[in-house]
Coordinates of all heavy atoms in Angstrom, one line a residue:
M1 N -0.8 -3.8 -17.1 CA -0.6 -4.1 -15.7 C -0.6 -2.7 -15.0 O 0.2 -1.9 -15.2 CB 0.7 -4.8 -15.5 CG 1.0 -5.0 -14.0 SD 2.4 -6.1 -13.8 CE 3.7 -4.9 -13.7
S2 N -1.6 -2.6 -14.1 CA -1.7 -1.4 -13.3 C -0.8 -1.5 -12.1 O -1.0 -2.5 -11.3 CB -3.2 -1.1 -12.9 OG -3.2 0.0 -12.1
I3 N 0.1 -0.6 -11.9 CA 1.0 -0.7 -10.8 C 0.3 -0.3 -9.4 O 0.3 -1.0 -8.5 CB 2.2 0.2 -11.0 CG1 2.9 -0.1 -12.3 CG2 3.2 0.1 -9.9 CD1 3.6 -1.5 -12.4
L4 N -0.2 0.9 -9.4 CA -0.9 1.5 -8.2 C -2.3 0.9 -8.1 O -3.1 1.1 -9.1 CB -0.9 3.0 -8.2 CG 0.5 3.7 -8.2 CD1 0.3 5.2 -8.3 CD2 1.2 3.3 -7.0
I5 N -2.7 0.3 -7.0 CA -4.1 -0.2 -6.9 C -4.9 0.8 -6.2 O -5.9 1.3 -6.6 CB -4.1 -1.6 -6.2 CG1 -3.3 -2.6 -7.0 CG2 -5.5 -2.0 -5.9 CD1 -3.1 -3.9 -6.4
K6 N -4.5 1.2 -4.9 CA -5.2 2.3 -4.2 C -4.3 2.8 -3.1 O -3.4 2.1 -2.7 CB -6.5 1.7 -3.6 CG -6.2 0.6 -2.6 CD -7.5 0.0 -2.0 CE -7.2 -1.1 -1.0 NZ -8.5 -1.6 -0.5
P7 N -4.6 4.0 -2.7 CA -3.8 4.6 -1.5 C -4.3 3.9 -0.2 O -5.5 3.6 -0.1 CB -4.1 6.1 -1.6 CG -5.3 6.2 -2.3 CD -5.4 5.0 -3.3
I8 N -3.4 3.8 0.7 CA -3.8 3.3 2.0 C -4.0 4.5 3.0 O -3.1 5.3 3.2 CB -2.7 2.4 2.6 CG1 -2.6 1.2 1.6 CG2 -3.0 1.9 4.0 CD1 -1.4 0.3 2.0
I9 N -5.2 4.6 3.5 CA -5.6 5.7 4.4 C -5.9 5.1 5.7 O -7.1 4.7 6.0 CB -6.8 6.5 3.8 CG1 -6.4 7.0 2.4 CG2 -7.1 7.6 4.7 CD1 -7.5 7.7 1.7
T10 N -4.9 5.1 6.6 CA -5.1 4.6 8.0 C -4.5 5.7 8.9 O -3.9 6.7 8.4 CB -4.4 3.3 8.2 OG1 -3.0 3.5 8.0 CG2 -4.9 2.2 7.3
E11 N -4.7 5.5 10.2 CA -4.2 6.5 11.1 C -2.6 6.6 11.0 O -2.0 7.7 11.0 CB -4.6 6.1 12.5 CG -4.3 7.1 13.6 CD -4.8 6.8 14.9 OE1 -5.6 5.9 15.0 OE2 -4.5 7.5 15.9
K12 N -2.0 5.4 10.9 CA -0.5 5.4 10.8 C -0.1 6.0 9.5 O 0.9 6.8 9.5 CB -0.1 3.9 10.9 CG 1.4 3.8 10.9 CD 1.8 2.3 11.1 CE 3.3 2.1 11.1 NZ 3.7 0.7 11.3
A13 N -0.7 5.7 8.4 CA -0.3 6.3 7.1 C -0.5 7.8 7.1 O 0.3 8.5 6.5 CB -1.1 5.6 6.0
T14 N -1.6 8.3 7.7 CA -1.9 9.7 7.7 C -0.8 10.4 8.5 O -0.4 11.5 8.2 CB -3.3 10.0 8.3 OG1 -4.2 9.2 7.5 CG2 -3.6 11.4 8.2
T15 N -0.4 9.8 9.6 CA 0.6 10.4 10.5 C 2.0 10.5 9.7 O 2.7 11.5 9.8 CB 0.8 9.6 11.8 OG1 -0.5 9.5 12.4 CG2 1.8 10.3 12.7
Q16 N 2.3 9.4 9.0 CA 3.5 9.4 8.2 C 3.5 10.5 7.1 O 4.5 11.2 6.8 CB 3.7 8.1 7.5 CG 4.3 7.1 8.5 CD 4.6 5.8 7.7 OE1 4.1 5.5 6.7 NE2 5.4 4.9 8.3
S17 N 2.3 10.7 6.5 CA 2.2 11.7 5.5 C 2.4 13.1 6.0 O 2.9 14.0 5.4 CB 0.9 11.6 4.7 OG -0.2 11.9 5.5
E18 N 1.9 13.4 7.2 CA 2.0 14.7 7.8 C 3.4 15.0 8.4 O 3.9 16.1 8.2 CB 1.0 14.8 9.0 CG -0.5 14.8 8.5 CD -1.4 14.7 9.6 OE1 -1.0 14.5 10.8 OE2 -2.7 14.8 9.4
L19 N 4.0 14.0 9.0 CA 5.3 14.2 9.7 C 6.5 13.9 8.8 O 7.5 14.7 8.8 CB 5.4 13.4 11.0 CG 4.3 13.6 12.0 CD1 4.5 12.7 13.2 CD2 4.4 15.1 12.5
L20 N 6.4 12.8 8.0 CA 7.6 12.4 7.3 C 7.5 12.6 5.8 O 8.4 12.3 5.0 CB 7.8 10.9 7.5 CG 8.0 10.5 9.0 CD1 8.1 9.0 9.1 CD2 9.3 11.1 9.5
N21 N 6.3 13.1 5.3 CA 6.1 13.4 3.9 C 6.2 12.0 3.1 O 6.7 12.0 2.0 CB 7.0 14.4 3.3 CG 6.4 15.1 2.1 OD1 5.2 15.0 1.9 ND2 7.3 15.6 1.3
A22 N 5.6 10.9 3.7 CA 5.7 9.6 3.1 C 4.2 9.1 3.0 O 3.4 9.2 3.9 CB 6.5 8.7 4.0
Y23 N 3.9 8.6 1.8 CA 2.5 8.1 1.5 C 2.5 6.6 1.3 O 3.5 6.1 0.7 CB 2.0 8.9 0.3 CG 1.8 10.4 0.6 CD1 2.9 11.3 0.4 CD2 0.6 10.9 1.1 CE1 2.7 12.6 0.7 CE2 0.5 12.2 1.3 CZ 1.5 13.1 1.1 OH 1.4 14.4 1.4
A24 N 1.5 6.0 1.7 CA 1.4 4.5 1.5 C 0.4 4.2 0.4 O -0.7 4.8 0.3 CB 1.0 3.9 2.8
F25 N 0.8 3.2 -0.4 CA -0.1 2.7 -1.5 C -0.1 1.2 -1.5 O 0.9 0.5 -1.1 CB 0.4 3.2 -2.8 CG 0.4 4.6 -3.0 CD1 1.5 5.4 -2.8 CD2 -0.8 5.2 -3.5 CE1 1.4 6.8 -2.9 CE2 -0.8 6.6 -3.7 CZ 0.3 7.4 -3.4
E26 N -1.2 0.6 -1.9 CA -1.3 -0.8 -2.2 C -0.9 -0.9 -3.7 O -1.5 -0.3 -4.5 CB -2.7 -1.4 -1.9 CG -2.8 -2.9 -2.1 CD -4.1 -3.4 -1.8 OE1 -4.8 -2.9 -0.9 OE2 -4.5 -4.4 -2.5
V27 N 0.1 -1.8 -4.0 CA 0.6 -1.9 -5.3 C 0.5 -3.4 -5.8 O 0.2 -4.3 -5.0 CB 2.0 -1.4 -5.4 CG1 2.1 0.1 -5.1 CG2 2.9 -2.2 -4.5
N28 N 0.7 -3.5 -7.1 CA 0.7 -4.9 -7.7 C 1.8 -5.7 -7.1 O 2.9 -5.2 -6.8 CB 0.9 -4.7 -9.2 CG 0.7 -6.0 -9.9 OD1 0.9 -7.1 -9.4 ND2 0.3 -5.9 -11.2
T29 N 1.6 -7.0 -6.8 CA 2.6 -7.8 -6.1 C 3.8 -8.1 -7.0 O 4.9 -8.4 -6.4 CB 2.0 -9.2 -5.7 OG1 1.4 -9.8 -6.9 CG2 0.9 -9.0 -4.7
K30 N 3.7 -7.9 -8.3 CA 4.9 -8.1 -9.1 C 5.7 -6.9 -9.5 O 6.7 -6.9 -10.2 CB 4.5 -8.8 -10.4 CG 3.8 -10.2 -10.2 CD 3.6 -10.9 -11.5 CE 2.8 -12.1 -11.3 NZ 3.5 -13.2 -10.7
A31 N 5.2 -5.7 -8.9 CA 5.9 -4.4 -9.2 C 7.1 -4.3 -8.4 O 7.2 -4.7 -7.2 CB 4.9 -3.3 -9.0
N32 N 8.2 -3.7 -9.0 CA 9.4 -3.4 -8.2 C 9.5 -1.9 -7.9 O 8.6 -1.1 -8.3 CB 10.6 -3.9 -9.0 CG 10.8 -3.2 -10.3 OD1 10.4 -2.1 -10.5 ND2 11.4 -3.9 -11.3
K33 N 10.5 -1.5 -7.2 CA 10.6 -0.1 -6.7 C 10.7 0.9 -7.8 O 10.1 2.0 -7.7 CB 11.8 0.0 -5.7 CG 11.6 -0.8 -4.4 CD 12.8 -0.6 -3.5 CE 12.6 -1.4 -2.2 NZ 13.7 -1.1 -1.3
V34 N 11.4 0.6 -8.9 CA 11.6 1.5 -10.0 C 10.2 1.8 -10.7 O 9.9 2.9 -11.0 CB 12.6 1.0 -11.0 CG1 12.7 1.9 -12.2 CG2 14.0 0.8 -10.3
E35 N 9.5 0.7 -10.9 CA 8.1 0.8 -11.5 C 7.2 1.6 -10.6 O 6.4 2.4 -11.1 CB 7.6 -0.6 -11.8 CG 8.3 -1.3 -12.9 CD 7.8 -2.8 -13.0 OE1 7.2 -3.3 -12.1 OE2 8.1 -3.4 -14.1
I36 N 7.3 1.4 -9.3 CA 6.4 2.1 -8.4 C 6.7 3.6 -8.4 O 5.9 4.5 -8.4 CB 6.5 1.5 -7.0 CG1 6.0 0.1 -6.9 CG2 5.8 2.4 -6.0 CD1 6.3 -0.7 -5.7
K37 N 8.0 3.9 -8.4 CA 8.5 5.3 -8.4 C 8.0 6.0 -9.7 O 7.4 7.1 -9.6 CB 10.0 5.4 -8.4 CG 10.6 6.8 -8.4 CD 12.1 6.8 -8.3 CE 12.6 8.2 -8.4 NZ 14.1 8.2 -8.2
K38 N 8.1 5.4 -10.8 CA 7.6 6.0 -12.1 C 6.1 6.1 -12.1 O 5.6 7.1 -12.6 CB 8.1 5.1 -13.3 CG 9.6 5.2 -13.6 CD 10.0 4.3 -14.7 CE 11.5 4.3 -14.9 NZ 11.9 3.4 -16.0
A39 N 5.4 5.2 -11.6 CA 3.9 5.2 -11.6 C 3.4 6.4 -10.7 O 2.5 7.1 -11.1 CB 3.3 3.9 -11.1
V40 N 4.0 6.6 -9.5 CA 3.6 7.7 -8.6 C 4.0 9.0 -9.2 O 3.1 9.9 -9.2 CB 4.3 7.5 -7.2 CG1 4.0 8.7 -6.3 CG2 3.7 6.2 -6.5
E41 N 5.1 9.1 -9.8 CA 5.5 10.4 -10.4 C 4.6 10.7 -11.6 O 4.2 11.9 -11.8 CB 7.0 10.3 -10.9 CG 8.0 10.4 -9.7 CD 9.4 10.2 -10.2 OE1 9.7 9.8 -11.3 OE2 10.3 10.5 -9.3
A42 N 4.2 9.7 -12.4 CA 3.3 10.0 -13.5 C 1.9 10.3 -13.1 O 1.2 11.2 -13.6 CB 3.3 8.8 -14.4
A43 N 1.4 9.6 -12.0 CA 0.0 9.8 -11.6 C -0.2 11.1 -10.8 O -1.3 11.7 -11.0 CB -0.4 8.6 -10.7
Y44 N 0.7 11.5 -10.0 CA 0.5 12.6 -9.1 C 1.4 13.8 -9.5 O 1.2 14.9 -8.9 CB 0.7 12.2 -7.7 CG -0.3 11.2 -7.2 CD1 0.0 9.9 -7.1 CD2 -1.6 11.6 -6.9 CE1 -0.9 9.0 -6.6 CE2 -2.5 10.7 -6.4 CZ -2.2 9.4 -6.3 OH -3.1 8.5 -5.9
G45 N 2.3 13.7 -10.4 CA 3.2 14.8 -10.8 C 4.1 15.3 -9.7 O 4.3 16.5 -9.5
V46 N 4.7 14.4 -8.9 CA 5.6 14.8 -7.8 C 6.9 14.1 -8.1 O 7.0 13.1 -8.9 CB 5.0 14.4 -6.5 CG1 3.8 15.2 -6.1 CG2 4.7 12.9 -6.4
S47 N 8.0 14.5 -7.4 CA 9.2 13.8 -7.5 C 9.4 12.9 -6.2 O 9.3 13.4 -5.1 CB 10.4 14.8 -7.6 OG 10.4 15.6 -6.5
V48 N 9.7 11.6 -6.5 CA 9.8 10.6 -5.4 C 11.3 10.5 -5.0 O 12.2 10.4 -5.8 CB 9.3 9.3 -5.9 CG1 9.5 8.2 -4.8 CG2 7.8 9.4 -6.2
E49 N 11.5 10.6 -3.7 CA 12.9 10.5 -3.1 C 13.3 9.0 -2.8 O 14.4 8.6 -3.2 CB 13.0 11.3 -1.9 CG 14.3 11.8 -1.6 CD 14.2 12.8 -0.4 OE1 14.3 12.4 0.7 OE2 14.1 14.0 -0.7
K50 N 12.3 8.3 -2.2 CA 12.7 6.9 -1.7 C 11.4 6.1 -1.8 O 10.3 6.6 -1.5 CB 13.2 7.0 -0.3 CG 13.6 5.6 0.2 CD 14.4 5.7 1.5 CE 14.0 6.7 2.6 NZ 14.7 6.5 3.9
V51 N 11.5 4.8 -2.1 CA 10.4 3.8 -2.1 C 10.8 2.6 -1.2 O 11.9 2.0 -1.4 CB 10.1 3.3 -3.5 CG1 9.0 2.3 -3.5 CG2 9.7 4.5 -4.4
R52 N 9.9 2.3 -0.3 CA 10.1 1.1 0.6 C 8.9 0.2 0.3 O 7.8 0.7 0.2 CB 10.2 1.5 2.0 CG 11.4 2.3 2.3 CD 11.5 2.8 3.8 NE 10.4 3.8 3.9 CZ 10.0 4.3 5.0 NH1 10.5 3.9 6.1 NH2 9.1 5.3 5.0
T53 N 9.1 -1.1 0.2 CA 8.0 -2.1 -0.1 C 7.9 -3.1 1.0 O 8.9 -3.4 1.7 CB 8.3 -2.8 -1.4 OG1 9.5 -3.5 -1.3 CG2 8.3 -1.8 -2.6
I54 N 6.7 -3.6 1.2 CA 6.4 -4.5 2.2 C 5.4 -5.6 1.6 O 4.4 -5.3 1.0 CB 5.6 -3.9 3.4 CG1 6.4 -2.7 4.0 CG2 5.3 -4.9 4.5 CD1 5.5 -1.8 4.7
N55 N 5.8 -6.9 1.7 CA 5.0 -8.0 1.3 C 4.2 -8.4 2.5 O 4.7 -8.9 3.5 CB 5.8 -9.1 0.7 CG 6.3 -8.8 -0.7 OD1 5.6 -8.4 -1.5 ND2 7.6 -9.1 -0.9
V56 N 2.8 -8.3 2.4 CA 2.0 -8.7 3.5 C 1.4 -10.1 3.2 O 0.8 -10.4 2.2 CB 0.8 -7.7 3.6 CG1 -0.1 -8.1 4.8 CG2 1.3 -6.3 3.8
R57 N 1.7 -11.0 4.1 CA 1.3 -12.4 3.9 C -0.2 -12.6 4.1 O -0.9 -11.8 4.8 CB 2.0 -13.3 4.9 CG 1.7 -13.1 6.3 CD 2.4 -14.1 7.2 NE 2.4 -13.6 8.6 CZ 1.4 -13.6 9.4 NH1 0.2 -14.0 9.0 NH2 1.5 -13.2 10.6
P58 N -0.8 -13.6 3.5 CA -2.3 -13.8 3.7 C -2.6 -14.3 5.1 O -1.8 -15.0 5.7 CB -2.6 -14.9 2.6 CG -1.3 -15.5 2.3 CD -0.2 -14.6 2.6
D59 N -3.8 -13.9 5.6 CA -4.2 -14.4 6.9 C -5.0 -15.7 6.7 O -5.9 -15.8 5.8 CB -5.2 -13.4 7.6 CG -4.4 -12.2 8.0 OD1 -3.2 -12.3 8.3 OD2 -5.1 -11.1 8.1
R60 N -4.7 -16.7 7.4 CA -5.4 -18.0 7.3 C -6.3 -18.2 8.5 O -6.0 -17.9 9.6 CB -4.3 -19.2 7.3 CG -3.4 -19.1 6.1 CD -2.5 -20.3 6.0 NE -1.5 -20.1 4.9 CZ -1.8 -20.2 3.6 NH1 -3.0 -20.6 3.2 NH2 -0.8 -20.0 2.7
R61 N -7.5 -18.7 8.2 CA -8.5 -18.8 9.2 C -9.1 -20.2 9.1 O -9.3 -20.8 8.0 CB -9.6 -17.8 9.0 CG -9.1 -16.4 9.3 CD -10.3 -15.4 9.5 NE -9.8 -14.1 9.8 CZ -9.7 -13.1 9.0 NH1 -10.2 -13.3 7.7 NH2 -9.3 -12.0 9.3
T62 N -9.5 -20.8 10.2 CA -10.2 -22.0 10.3 C -11.5 -21.8 11.0 O -11.5 -21.2 12.1 CB -9.4 -23.1 11.0 OG1 -8.1 -23.2 10.4 CG2 -10.1 -24.4 11.0
R63 N -12.6 -22.3 10.4 CA -14.0 -22.1 11.1 C -14.5 -23.5 11.3 O -14.5 -24.4 10.4 CB -14.9 -21.3 10.2 CG -14.5 -19.9 10.0 CD -15.5 -19.1 9.2 NE -15.1 -17.8 9.0 CZ -14.3 -17.3 8.0 NH1 -13.9 -18.2 7.1 NH2 -14.0 -16.1 7.9
Y64 N -15.1 -23.7 12.4 CA -15.8 -24.9 12.8 C -17.3 -24.8 12.6 O -17.9 -24.0 13.3 CB -15.4 -25.4 14.2 CG -13.9 -25.5 14.4 CD1 -13.2 -24.5 14.9 CD2 -13.3 -26.7 14.0 CE1 -11.8 -24.6 15.1 CE2 -11.9 -26.8 14.2 CZ -11.2 -25.8 14.7 OH -9.8 -26.0 14.9
T65 N -17.9 -25.4 11.6 CA -19.3 -25.3 11.3 C -20.0 -26.6 11.5 O -19.3 -27.6 11.7 CB -19.5 -24.7 9.9 OG1 -18.9 -25.7 9.0 CG2 -18.8 -23.4 9.7
K66 N -21.3 -26.6 11.2 CA -22.1 -27.8 11.3 C -21.6 -28.8 10.2 O -21.6 -30.0 10.5 CB -23.6 -27.5 11.0 CG -24.2 -26.8 12.1 CD -25.7 -26.5 11.7 CE -26.4 -25.6 12.8 NZ -27.7 -25.4 12.4
T67 N -21.2 -28.3 9.1 CA -20.8 -29.2 8.0 C -19.4 -29.7 8.1 O -18.9 -30.5 7.3 CB -21.0 -28.6 6.6 OG1 -20.3 -27.3 6.6 CG2 -22.5 -28.2 6.4
G68 N -18.6 -29.1 9.0 CA -17.2 -29.6 9.2 C -16.3 -28.4 9.3 O -16.7 -27.2 9.5
I69 N -15.0 -28.6 9.1 CA -14.0 -27.6 9.3 C -13.9 -26.9 7.9 O -13.7 -27.5 6.9 CB -12.7 -28.2 9.7 CG1 -12.8 -28.8 11.1 CG2 -11.6 -27.1 9.8 CD1 -11.6 -29.6 11.6
Q70 N -13.9 -25.6 7.9 CA -13.8 -24.8 6.7 C -12.4 -24.0 6.8 O -12.2 -23.3 7.8 CB -14.9 -23.7 6.6 CG -16.3 -24.4 6.5 CD -16.5 -25.1 5.1 OE1 -16.0 -24.6 4.1 NE2 -17.1 -26.3 5.2
H71 N -11.6 -24.1 5.8 CA -10.3 -23.4 5.8 C -10.4 -22.3 4.7 O -11.0 -22.5 3.7 CB -9.2 -24.3 5.4 CG -9.0 -25.5 6.3 ND1 -8.4 -25.3 7.6 CD2 -9.3 -26.8 6.3 CE1 -8.3 -26.4 8.2 NE2 -8.9 -27.4 7.4
G72 N -9.8 -21.2 5.1 CA -9.8 -20.0 4.1 C -8.7 -19.1 4.4 O -8.0 -19.2 5.4
K73 N -8.4 -18.2 3.4 CA -7.3 -17.3 3.6 C -7.7 -16.0 2.8 O -8.5 -16.0 1.8 CB -6.0 -17.8 3.1 CG -5.9 -18.1 1.6 CD -4.5 -18.5 1.3 CE -4.3 -18.7 -0.2 NZ -4.3 -17.4 -0.9
T74 N -7.0 -14.9 3.2 CA -7.2 -13.6 2.5 C -6.1 -13.6 1.4 O -5.2 -14.4 1.4 CB -7.0 -12.4 3.4 OG1 -5.7 -12.5 4.0 CG2 -8.1 -12.5 4.5
N75 N -6.1 -12.6 0.5 CA -5.1 -12.4 -0.5 C -3.9 -11.8 0.0 O -3.9 -11.0 0.9 CB -5.7 -11.6 -1.7 CG -6.8 -12.3 -2.4 OD1 -6.9 -13.5 -2.4 ND2 -7.7 -11.5 -2.9
A76 N -2.7 -12.2 -0.5 CA -1.5 -11.5 -0.2 C -1.4 -10.2 -1.0 O -1.8 -10.2 -2.1 CB -0.3 -12.4 -0.6
I77 N -0.9 -9.2 -0.3 CA -0.8 -7.9 -1.0 C 0.6 -7.3 -0.8 O 1.4 -7.8 0.0 CB -1.9 -6.8 -0.4 CG1 -1.6 -6.6 1.0 CG2 -3.3 -7.3 -0.7 CD1 -2.4 -5.4 1.6
K78 N 0.9 -6.3 -1.5 CA 2.2 -5.6 -1.4 C 1.9 -4.1 -1.2 O 1.1 -3.5 -1.8 CB 3.0 -5.8 -2.7 CG 4.4 -5.2 -2.6 CD 5.1 -5.6 -3.9 CE 6.6 -5.5 -3.7 NZ 7.4 -5.9 -4.9
K79 N 2.5 -3.6 -0.2 CA 2.4 -2.2 0.2 C 3.7 -1.4 -0.2 O 4.8 -2.0 -0.2 CB 2.2 -2.0 1.7 CG 0.9 -2.5 2.2 CD 0.9 -2.2 3.7 CE -0.3 -2.8 4.4 NZ -0.4 -2.6 5.8
A80 N 3.5 -0.2 -0.6 CA 4.7 0.6 -0.9 C 4.6 1.9 -0.1 O 3.5 2.6 -0.1 CB 4.8 0.9 -2.4
I81 N 5.6 2.3 0.6 CA 5.7 3.6 1.3 C 6.6 4.5 0.5 O 7.8 4.2 0.3 CB 6.2 3.4 2.7 CG1 5.2 2.5 3.5 CG2 6.3 4.8 3.4 CD1 5.6 2.1 4.8
V82 N 6.0 5.6 -0.1 CA 6.7 6.4 -1.0 C 7.1 7.7 -0.3 O 6.2 8.4 0.2 CB 5.9 6.7 -2.2 CG1 6.5 7.6 -3.2 CG2 5.5 5.4 -2.9
Q83 N 8.3 8.1 -0.2 CA 8.7 9.3 0.4 C 9.0 10.4 -0.7 O 9.8 10.1 -1.6 CB 10.0 9.1 1.3 CG 10.3 10.4 2.0 CD 11.2 10.1 3.2 OE1 11.6 9.0 3.5 NE2 11.5 11.1 4.0
L84 N 8.4 11.5 -0.5 CA 8.5 12.6 -1.6 C 9.6 13.5 -1.2 O 10.1 13.6 -0.1 CB 7.1 13.3 -1.7 CG 5.9 12.5 -2.0 CD1 4.7 13.4 -2.1 CD2 6.1 11.7 -3.3
A85 N 10.0 14.3 -2.2 CA 11.0 15.3 -2.0 C 10.4 16.4 -1.1 O 9.2 16.5 -0.9 CB 11.4 15.9 -3.4
E86 N 11.3 17.2 -0.5 CA 11.0 18.2 0.4 C 10.1 19.3 -0.2 O 10.3 19.7 -1.3 CB 12.2 18.9 0.9 CG 12.0 19.8 2.2 CD 11.7 19.0 3.4 OE1 12.1 17.8 3.5 OE2 10.9 19.5 4.2
G87 N 8.9 19.6 0.4 CA 8.0 20.6 -0.1 C 6.9 20.1 -1.0 O 6.1 20.9 -1.4
E88 N 6.9 18.9 -1.3 CA 5.9 18.3 -2.2 C 4.9 17.5 -1.4 O 5.2 16.8 -0.5 CB 6.5 17.5 -3.3 CG 7.4 18.3 -4.3 CD 7.7 17.6 -5.5 OE1 7.1 16.5 -5.8 OE2 8.5 18.1 -6.3
T89 N 3.6 17.5 -1.9 CA 2.6 16.8 -1.2 C 1.7 16.1 -2.2 O 1.6 16.6 -3.4 CB 1.7 17.7 -0.3 OG1 1.1 18.7 -1.1 CG2 2.5 18.3 0.8
I90 N 0.9 15.2 -1.8 CA -0.1 14.5 -2.6 C -1.5 14.7 -1.9 O -1.6 14.4 -0.7 CB 0.1 13.0 -2.8 CG1 1.4 12.8 -3.5 CG2 -1.0 12.3 -3.5 CD1 1.8 11.3 -3.7
D91 N -2.5 15.2 -2.6 CA -3.8 15.4 -2.0 C -4.6 14.2 -2.4 O -5.2 14.1 -3.5 CB -4.4 16.7 -2.5 CG -5.7 17.0 -1.8 OD1 -6.0 16.4 -0.8 OD2 -6.5 17.9 -2.3
L92 N -4.7 13.2 -1.4 CA -5.5 12.0 -1.7 C -7.0 12.2 -1.6 O -7.7 11.4 -2.1 CB -5.0 10.9 -0.7 CG -3.6 10.5 -0.8 CD1 -3.3 9.5 0.4 CD2 -3.3 9.9 -2.1
Y93 N -7.4 13.3 -1.0 CA -8.9 13.5 -0.9 C -9.5 14.4 -1.9 O -10.6 14.8 -1.9 CB -9.1 14.1 0.5 CG -8.6 13.3 1.6 CD1 -7.5 13.6 2.3 CD2 -9.3 12.1 2.0 CE1 -7.0 12.9 3.4 CE2 -8.8 11.4 3.1 CZ -7.7 11.7 3.7 OH -7.2 11.0 4.7
A94 N -8.7 14.7 -3.0 CA -9.2 15.7 -4.0 C -10.3 15.1 -4.9 O -11.2 15.8 -5.3 CB -8.0 16.1 -4.9
N95 N -10.3 13.8 -5.1 CA -11.3 13.2 -6.0 C -12.5 12.7 -5.3 O -13.4 12.0 -5.9 CB -10.6 12.0 -6.7 CG -9.5 12.5 -7.6 OD1 -9.5 13.6 -8.0 ND2 -8.6 11.6 -7.9
M96 N -12.7 12.9 -4.0 CA -13.9 12.4 -3.3 C -15.0 13.3 -3.4 O -15.1 14.4 -3.7 CB -13.5 12.3 -1.8 CG -12.6 11.2 -1.5 SD -12.4 11.0 0.2 CE -11.8 9.3 0.3

């Protein structure tokens, strides 16, 4: 089971990483805070101070087409905001 799926690179997440030294990741929905902390420390070689998690509900949509009403939804995801110790950073753009 892979804990970290991908880093979240948005305007809000970039601002948090610059000002608060906190990075956002999309993680497995069954992962807890302890597992997320160990995975980030192992993957990036940094010491994690705090982990906050957010469960994002799926978006439901209804489309009216020629064949009738179509119902659909997106997948539910879990986000983790990881705050690092003072003076440590993660370079998310190194592998590009």
Side-chain angles (χ1 to χ4, degrees):
M1 174 171 94
S2 178
I3 304 292
L4 298 176
I5 297 173
K6 63 181 178 179
I8 298 173
I9 301 173
T10 60
E11 188 174 350
K12 184 176 182 179
T14 306
T15 305
Q16 281 185 341
S17 67
E18 292 170 355
L19 300 178
L20 304 174
N21 204 21
Y23 296 86
F25 294 94
E26 184 177 328
V27 297
N28 190 332
T29 54
K30 297 187 188 285
N32 59 30
K33 292 182 180 185
V34 176
E35 293 172 340
I36 295 167
K37 179 179 179 177
K38 289 179 183 175
V40 171
E41 288 176 345
Y44 295 103
V46 294
S47 60
V48 175
E49 207 171 86
K50 182 169 43 170
V51 177
R52 294 173 290 169
T53 58
I54 306 160
N55 285 313
V56 180
R57 63 176 165 73
D59 290 333
R60 299 186 186 279
R61 293 197 176 102
T62 303
R63 292 183 184 90
Y64 301 97
T65 62
K66 291 179 185 177
T67 58
I69 298 174
Q70 300 290 321
H71 298 285
K73 69 177 184 68
T74 59
N75 293 331
I77 62 169
K78 188 174 196 175
K79 293 180 185 179
I81 299 173
V82 178
Q83 186 159 3
L84 302 181
E86 194 68 33
E88 295 196 6
T89 59
I90 296 175
D91 188 12
L92 297 175
Y93 302 105
N95 295 337
M96 291 185 157

